[in-house]
Amino acid sequence: MQRVTKFLRNVVREMKKVSWPKRKELTRYTITVVSTVTFVAVFFAIIDTGISSLIRLILE
């Protein structure tokens, strides 16, 4: 039980050292991540549609 308590104390101590982003930074990072994920999803959807169409043309 002492090991768990010591571990949790160390976690709390380290969390106090963390440099948390400000609200403006967090908003900017969130927008960047969401737009990047959206772009990649649309890109792969277009590629998938193209490959599917190509395969259908070949198999007909």
Side-chain angles (χ1 to χ4, degrees):
M1 189 64 178
Q2 282 182 330
R3 290 173 57 183
V4 173
T5 305
K6 183 178 178 183
F7 171 75
L8 291 176
R9 278 193 201 128
N10 287 336
V11 169
V12 169
R13 191 177 313 133
E14 289 298 320
M15 290 301 285
K16 288 179 181 178
K17 296 178 185 178
V18 173
S19 171
W20 297 101
K22 303 292 181 211
R23 185 178 192 93
K24 188 175 182 179
E25 289 176 315
L26 185 62
T27 303
R28 190 168 7 122
Y29 296 156
T30 303
I31 290 170
T32 301
V33 168
V34 169
S35 57
T36 301
V37 168
T38 303
F39 172 77
V40 170
V42 169
F43 174 77
F44 281 114
I46 291 170
I47 296 297
D48 183 51
T49 303
I51 291 173
S52 297
S53 298
L54 185 63
I55 289 173
R56 266 189 251 115
L57 280 173
I58 292 171
L59 294 178
E60 286 182 0

